[in-house]
Amino acid sequence: MKLYSMKNNKKEVTFLEAVELGLCDRQGLFFPKKMPYFKEKEINKMLDMNFHEKSCRILNSFIGSEISKKNLQKIVKKSFYSIHPKIQSINKNVSCLELFHGPTLAFKDFGARFMSQIIHFLNKVNKKKVTILTATSGDTGAAVANAFYNMKNVNVVILYPKGKISKIQEKMFCTLGKNIKTISVNGSFDECQNLVKTAFNDSELKKKIGLNSGNSINISRLLAQVCYYFEAFSLIKTENRKNLIISVPCGNFGNITAGLIAKSIGLPIKNFIASTNSNDTVPRFLKSGHWNPKKTISTISNAMDISIPNNWDRVLELFKQNKWDIKNSKNLKFGSVSEEQTKKSIQELYNLKYISEPHAAVAYTVLKKNMKKEDHGLFLGTAHPLKFKNTVEKIIPIKIKLPKKIIDQNNIKSISFSIDPKFSSLKKFLL
Ligand SMILES: *Cc1c(COP(=O)(O)O)cnc(C)c1O
């Protein structure tokens, strides 16, 4: 597989190099030079395969001979072990794709675990020490920490915005210790993400600690996510596949990039919808043509509190590669949702006998606004409602029971270091 840097398309790397580097010079994101393409007949064959077989087929079509099929099978099995996606029917026309049945109860497990297995694979060969520097708006932290926990030669450093993630989210990665270091930053997620990107510009750091990123900057995370869109399609009833539209709750736009990649390689999704909360830089851009990020606002769908989404440039690149017009709503629909409306949708879903949480509720809201009579709508359940217990219990009359493991974790003291959003403070910590 060949990838180029979006800041310098002469700079070409292999898949394994791209995973190892994370980000290219001048913060260039890597993008595949040429996508595979599956014809209808092949797609139909794949739909009959189980999730692991399907994933191997898809990933192999991207990665090629850099990883043998046998090794890829092992990697997929370890990565996607026990995190099978599920479809929940809400009513005749709407379903939820639940992606939160993995160890840290959010869809981020798919990408983080696959990335960790690739790093582990690389490590067996080159035995270099690596540091996985990651910014989290809530769920990436736990997924990355869990995926790399106790892995030899790997140090993980996670930055999160102080006081802006839920308690359960925080306890899931700030109580582990060992090779997992956590830093609470006095600032927003965008500032945390900016620190990560700045660190990549520092050649001293890069060399000394073998810097890499666990964010969706890393291409391995996105490729892993392409797999569950194919799985979702095969789990949908045949009669609902023809006019399938998928609403994705967006923060950094990694998840929807993966969905659009799935479409571009042949999966016949009619339409994608980019759904955001009040941090609506992209919806405003698509409406007006102006890129005008505002200060990040804290919302109840905190994992989407991002005003400068990292992967948006990849979405634009994908549209360019496919010669799709971004302005044409046939290709990409969008919408943003207020806090009030998010709460109303959680209540509405509850009346339909479905317990949801704020992120999925944002996707559901925009989905409903964009559905035509003939459509079947799928919205993505990106996190388990129990991760947002306090918020959800204030909106609908239920009590969410926590598993023992989480109650125990909540009682452990967090062991985070605290810094202001200054690169010098981060560098000092890392060195
Ligand atoms: C990370 C996250 C999102 C946003 O996903 P992106 O790939 O960053 O767009 C949405 N919902 C939840 C629960 C998340 O953790």
Side-chain angles (χ1 to χ4, degrees):
M1 178 182 190
K2 285 265 185 295
L3 301 103
Y4 59 90
S5 160
M6 283 167 47
K7 285 275 167 72
N8 169 13
N9 54 18
K10 292 207 179 69
K11 172 80 183 172
E12 263 183 34
V13 295
T14 64
F15 169 71
L16 290 173
E17 284 166 344
V19 176
E20 197 177 4
L21 287 167
L23 201 58
C24 200
D25 306 338
R26 294 191 292 130
Q27 310 186 341
L29 293 164
F30 289 112
F31 200 82
K33 210 170 160 201
K34 195 170 173 293
M35 300 274 183
Y37 188 78
F38 295 104
K39 296 203 181 99
E40 196 184 335
K41 227 171 109 186
E42 281 175 282
I43 296 271
N44 289 336
K45 242 196 258 165
M46 283 160 72
L47 295 182
D48 289 333
M49 298 176 181
N50 71 36
F51 181 44
H52 288 188
E53 288 168 348
K54 205 180 272 134
S55 303
C56 284
R57 180 82 183 85
I58 295 162
L59 292 166
N60 174 258
S61 73
F62 279 98
I63 299 168
S65 59
E66 284 178 62
I67 302 176
S68 72
K69 282 189 182 167
K70 213 168 145 199
N71 280 328
L72 189 61
Q73 264 169 10
K74 280 190 210 153
I75 288 170
V76 163
K77 209 168 148 190
K78 277 196 186 153
S79 312
F80 297 163
Y81 166 74
S82 84
I83 48 173
H84 206 288
K86 283 189 190 142
I87 298 267
Q88 273 295 337
S89 167
I90 306 296
N91 63 29
K92 216 170 97 259
N93 306 319
V94 176
S95 322
C96 177
L97 174 65
E98 295 185 343
L99 298 168
F100 50 70
H101 298 291
T104 72
L105 308 174
F107 79 98
K108 303 261 178 20
D109 281 326
F110 288 92
R113 289 168 75 83
F114 179 66
M115 176 179 166
S116 76
Q117 288 306 320
I118 299 286
I119 297 282
H120 184 61
F121 176 81
L122 278 164
N123 227 314
K124 277 192 286 194
V125 186
N126 62 22
K127 300 207 163 46
K128 272 192 262 176
K129 268 214 181 313
V130 292
T131 300
I132 309 288
L133 184 63
T134 302
T136 183
S137 57
D139 292 319
T140 299
V144 168
N146 185 279
F148 286 98
Y149 189 48
N150 263 335
M151 199 175 267
K152 233 172 111 184
N153 288 328
V154 179
N155 258 315
V156 174
V157 180
I158 300 169
L159 308 173
Y160 64 100
K162 193 176 198 159
K164 296 197 171 97
I165 65 177
S166 86
K167 182 178 164 197
I168 294 174
Q169 284 177 323
E170 179 178 334
K171 294 284 181 177
M172 272 182 138
F173 64 93
C174 297
T175 55
L176 295 172
K178 292 198 182 166
N179 63 333
I180 312 294
K181 314 274 186 302
T182 54
I183 304 180
S184 77
V185 177
N186 272 316
S188 66
F189 170 76
D190 284 291
E191 286 172 298
C192 296
Q193 179 147 277
N194 212 12
L195 287 174
V196 172
K197 286 184 141 190
T198 310
F200 271 86
N201 277 352
D202 191 301
S203 47
E204 184 194 359
L205 259 187
K206 241 159 120 179
K207 247 194 228 118
K208 274 198 178 144
I209 64 170
L211 195 62
N212 204 329
S213 164
N215 285 98
S216 45
I217 289 171
N218 200 295
I219 193 73
S220 59
R221 276 194 46 184
L222 298 189
L223 293 192
Q225 289 173 243
V226 173
C227 301
Y228 58 64
Y229 284 96
F230 278 76
E231 181 66 2
F233 199 82
S234 63
L235 292 171
I236 289 275
K237 284 197 196 119
T238 324
E239 66 265 29
N240 290 335
R241 289 180 190 163
K242 211 172 101 221
N243 290 303
L244 185 63
I245 63 174
I246 302 184
S247 175
V248 184
C250 294
N252 239 338
F253 282 71
N255 205 356
I256 199 165
T257 304
L260 290 163
I261 290 176
K263 181 176 159 115
S264 80
I265 66 174
L267 191 67
I269 308 289
K270 181 175 160 191
N271 225 319
F272 272 94
I273 307 174
S275 309
T276 72
N277 61 26
S278 322
N279 295 288
D280 57 351
T281 310
V282 168
R284 280 186 293 111
F285 169 76
L286 289 170
K287 219 186 223 158
S288 71
H290 297 297
W291 185 255
N292 181 21
K294 295 183 184 160
K295 198 167 177 323
T296 316
I297 306 164
S298 293
T299 73
I300 53 172
S301 47
N302 64 281
M304 294 149 67
D305 292 348
I306 299 173
S307 51
I308 307 175
N310 230 325
N311 282 294
W312 180 248
D313 285 344
R314 280 194 172 124
V315 173
L316 294 178
E317 193 77 4
L318 188 69
F319 272 73
K320 213 167 82 190
Q321 240 186 33
N322 284 294
K323 301 195 173 63
W324 296 339
D325 179 7
I326 192 104
K327 299 252 165 58
N328 186 340
S329 69
K330 256 207 188 123
N331 295 319
L332 186 64
K333 293 182 187 293
F334 57 89
S336 67
V337 183
S338 70
E339 293 286 88
E340 272 327 295
Q341 188 55 56
T342 307
K343 291 178 190 169
K344 267 195 199 142
S345 289
I346 292 178
Q347 281 160 354
E348 185 180 314
L349 284 164
Y350 178 67
N351 292 335
L352 292 165
K353 304 207 161 34
Y354 188 69
I355 296 172
S356 193
E357 53 72 47
H359 305 80
V362 164
Y364 171 73
T365 314
V366 188
L367 173 69
K368 267 198 353 186
K369 275 195 196 136
N370 281 283
M371 269 177 68
K372 297 217 179 74
K373 229 175 102 210
E374 68 276 15
D375 290 341
H376 188 84
L378 187 67
F379 64 101
L380 267 47
T382 43
H384 198 295
L386 75 77
K387 270 188 132 165
F388 301 92
K389 177 180 159 69
N390 292 341
T391 306
V392 173
E393 287 178 351
K394 275 186 207 136
I395 301 168
I396 48 177
I398 55 155
K399 277 267 167 253
I400 297 178
K401 224 179 139 213
L402 296 178
K404 182 166 181 312
K405 193 179 149 205
I406 293 198
I407 296 173
D408 290 347
Q409 215 160 31
N410 281 349
N411 291 327
I412 304 175
K413 211 169 164 268
S414 293
I415 36 176
S416 296
F417 191 76
S418 188
I419 62 168
D420 283 324
K422 280 197 310 230
F423 179 64
S424 55
S425 311
L426 176 65
K427 188 167 173 179
K428 215 167 109 196
F429 179 89
L430 291 173
L431 291 173

